[in-house]
Amino acid sequence: MKYNQYADGFSPAPTCLKNCLLAFLTGGAICETGHLIRAAVMSAGADAETAGMWTTVALICTAQLITGLGWYNTLGRIGGAGAAVPITGFANSVVSPALEYKKEGIILGTGAKIFSLSGPVLAVGFSVSAAAGILYKLLGLL
Amino acid sequence: MSGNKTCRRIGRRTFEYISRPSVAGAGSVAGEMEGQGPQAEWFDVVLNDDRMGQATWEKAESKMLGTAVEYAMKDAGVSRRDVDAILCGDLLNQLMASSFMARDLAVPFLGVYGACSTMTESMLLGGALVDGGYCRTVITGASSHFSTAERQFRMPLEHGNQRALSAQWTATAAGALVISSEQDSHMRLTHATIGRIVDPGIMDSSCMGAAMAPAAFHTIQNHLRDLGRKPLDYDLILTGDLGSIGRRILVDFSERGSKLPHLSEVYDDCGAMMYDVSRQDVHAGGSGCGCSGSIIAGRICKEMREGKIRRAMLVSTGALMSTISTQQGESIPGIAHAVTVEYV
């Protein structure tokens, strides 16, 4: 462990403040775009639930397109967590391996690798919601 | 029985190339981004399309290595038929870039894997084959490609993530040398040291410079000690891809307590030389077998043949982890092999 500490002394200090600020701005901009879409759909006469659905669809599709055009990696490099946490980040983590492994075929390439990044997120998400559901049910029995 | 054998060993870890095999030709190819860095003028070819018109990145890397080999053969004035063996490697599983390049070249082939230490590993072995009389002319080389390495070791290219500040950029580059007993050249192989693995216990695969610096130190120290030399006996001691962080660690560690006095006066690192970090967003510098491969076959060969460098120790450095070893909780083993070349 001593060498680790010695070596750490030569690494540049992480730019936490700058990263946080950029993440806040990027993530905020994505979410604000969502708000605007939602407001536009609602002003066209949709109810809140339908507008929410269209907002999700619009954000995911846009993120997929931007990934395909090769821009999302730049957004992620600058925005960090701000680009990763919103639903657009999830879309990017599905589309980027799908594109990357296209050359190995639709089934064994794209098909097998499409969830290679988002798979762990899904697995944890499913497990936690199942556990929360059971807990909720048990608490209800008391 | 052993009466005729000439012992080439010197000291504990070093051996001598008695016949001084010559580096008769060199070829280097670099990618788009590497071509915008400070080493650009030394490469034989700078790509304006890293895909080289190929269907996949792997095919592109193969073609890039093949191009470096072609240039090396042309430079040496040899044809495919003169080459007894080709020794090269890359970072891909089953050495895909090298194997498929060798398939197309149809020359006897030995795949060499030493992660990013492959360039000096192949030089060391190729030189021994020539010096021992087992081959007359061999080609040694190495390649790496950002887009193939990323997809194998890290994330898909289009994934939006942030790289650690200590991370290095895998160079898209290839280098090849023709080593021969038949051809004359000013650049000769004189000594080599096979490195041993040194694992300082670094777990983070974005700290490769720190993981490899102790191995580089160990090999350089052994090479110098066995030959009774000091760093200042060299015009250049060049490590492979320690990057800006590993470079500073090696200098600090070597000069502290005068273990390798004045090392910094003759020392540089290909990873730290490859890019202009003030302009290019590569964080701690370059890495990959092609990083030292292309700089050795590019700048170093050219400067040595002109006599600007009279004696150089080339020490490509490798991090011998796999894509699963870090996930299984293993630390990163470092390695470095040294070859001394001289202007004759």
Side-chain angles (χ1 to χ4, degrees):
Chain A
M1 282 311 106
K2 225 175 134 199
Y3 178 75
N4 266 320
Q5 284 162 4
Y6 168 70
D8 269 350
F10 294 88
S11 297
T15 47
C16 282
L17 194 70
K18 187 181 145 215
N19 283 358
C20 287
L21 190 69
L22 285 171
F24 174 76
L25 291 174
T26 311
I30 293 171
C31 295
E32 197 46 44
T33 311
H35 264 151
L36 292 174
I37 296 170
R38 187 167 176 272
V41 178
M42 280 178 82
S43 69
D47 60 61
E49 201 178 323
T50 315
M53 184 194 75
W54 281 114
T55 306
T56 311
V57 170
L59 284 175
I60 289 177
C61 289
T62 311
Q64 289 174 326
L65 182 69
I66 288 177
T67 302
L69 291 171
W71 299 341
Y72 207 94
N73 57 348
T74 311
L75 189 71
R77 196 184 60 221
I78 298 163
V85 174
I87 200 164
T88 50
F90 192 75
N92 169 254
S93 73
V94 175
V95 176
S96 56
L99 284 174
E100 185 79 40
Y101 293 97
K102 215 171 70 180
K103 293 287 178 225
E104 284 75 42
I106 291 176
I107 308 286
L108 292 174
T110 298
K113 302 280 189 171
I114 188 165
F115 294 122
S116 60
L117 295 179
S118 52
V121 184
L122 292 174
V124 172
F126 293 157
S127 310
V128 171
S129 19
I134 293 167
L135 199 67
Y136 184 73
K137 191 76 184 165
L138 287 176
L139 288 174
L141 289 177
L142 292 177
Chain B
M1 279 298 282
S2 64
N4 290 334
K5 284 185 188 163
T6 314
C7 184
R8 291 164 161 86
R9 297 296 294 185
I10 299 175
R12 189 149 169 249
R13 306 263 186 203
T14 304
F15 63 82
E16 182 178 5
Y17 296 107
I18 293 174
S19 69
R20 303 287 193 257
S22 68
V23 178
S28 55
V29 183
E32 228 180 312
M33 198 161 135
E34 293 66 28
Q36 290 161 9
Q39 303 301 318
E41 58 174 309
W42 302 100
F43 300 125
D44 293 313
V45 181
V46 171
L47 306 177
N48 44 30
D49 166 25
D50 284 2
R51 194 71 167 255
M52 294 190 83
Q54 302 296 301
T56 69
W57 295 116
E58 286 76 11
K59 284 190 169 88
E61 182 173 346
S62 230
K63 189 169 177 191
M64 180 173 69
L65 181 57
T67 308
V69 168
E70 246 172 64
Y71 270 82
M73 288 197 295
K74 209 168 85 181
D75 186 30
V78 298
S79 78
R80 228 157 40 82
R81 277 181 296 279
D82 304 319
V83 180
D84 296 325
I86 176 160
L87 294 81
C88 58
D90 51 78
L91 293 174
L92 305 183
N93 289 335
Q94 290 79 42
L95 300 181
M96 185 171 169
S98 300
S99 307
F100 285 78
M101 180 281 295
R103 176 189 70 178
D104 299 340
L105 197 67
V107 163
F109 166 65
L110 286 169
V112 180
Y113 187 82
C116 309
S117 70
T118 304
M119 192 62 192
T120 52
E121 183 178 2
S122 66
M123 283 172 75
L124 182 152
L125 291 168
L129 287 177
V130 171
D131 190 45
Y134 302 102
C135 292
R136 284 156 299 195
T137 299
V138 299
I139 295 175
T140 68
S143 74
S144 58
H145 195 299
F146 176 78
S147 300
T148 58
E150 274 305 289
R151 118 198 186 98
Q152 178 168 308
F153 288 99
R154 286 175 281 267
M155 292 289 188
L157 292 177
E158 300 307 334
H159 186 249
N161 54 38
Q162 277 179 332
R163 297 163 63 247
L165 290 175
S166 59
Q168 291 167 244
W169 188 272
T170 307
T172 300
L177 302 176
V178 173
I179 298 177
S180 176
S181 57
E182 309 285 288
Q183 312 268 326
D184 206 16
S185 157
H186 284 308
M187 184 173 174
R188 302 290 187 115
L189 270 56
T190 67
H191 299 88
T193 295
I194 303 172
R196 81 161 168 84
I197 290 177
V198 181
D199 188 339
I202 298 282
M203 305 296 287
D204 182 355
S205 60
S206 60
C207 295
M208 307 263 254
M212 297 186 292
F217 170 78
H218 194 266
T219 299
I220 294 170
Q221 190 185 41
N222 275 300
H223 195 72
L224 292 172
R225 185 190 287 151
D226 289 344
L227 296 175
R229 290 176 184 167
K230 290 187 257 336
L232 289 182
D233 292 327
Y234 281 82
D235 295 328
L236 174 70
I237 295 177
L238 185 73
T239 50
D241 56 352
L242 297 184
S244 57
I245 296 172
R247 183 190 196 287
R248 285 203 301 274
I249 293 176
L250 181 64
V251 168
D252 182 79
F253 191 75
S254 302
E255 296 196 339
R256 191 171 289 192
S258 287
K259 290 188 277 284
L260 298 174
H262 305 290
L263 177 75
S264 58
E265 289 168 39
V266 292
Y267 171 66
D268 215 333
D269 176 77
C270 298
M273 289 157 72
M274 181 62 99
Y275 303 101
D276 179 354
V277 287
S278 64
R279 276 190 304 115
Q280 297 177 294
D281 185 24
V282 294
H283 296 202
S287 68
C289 330
C291 186
S292 62
S294 62
I295 288 180
I296 289 172
R299 179 174 186 164
I300 306 308
C301 281
K302 290 187 175 96
E303 288 202 325
M304 182 158 267
R305 283 167 175 188
E306 288 168 12
K308 285 185 191 156
I309 302 172
R310 313 287 292 192
R311 181 189 277 164
M313 188 201 301
L314 309 173
V315 194
S316 294
T317 42
L320 294 173
M321 84 286 195
S322 83
T323 46
I324 55 170
S325 66
T326 34
Q327 288 171 344
Q328 291 181 354
E330 288 281 4
S331 53
I332 300 168
I335 195 154
H337 304 293
V339 177
T340 287
V341 285
E342 280 181 22
Y343 176 87
V344 178

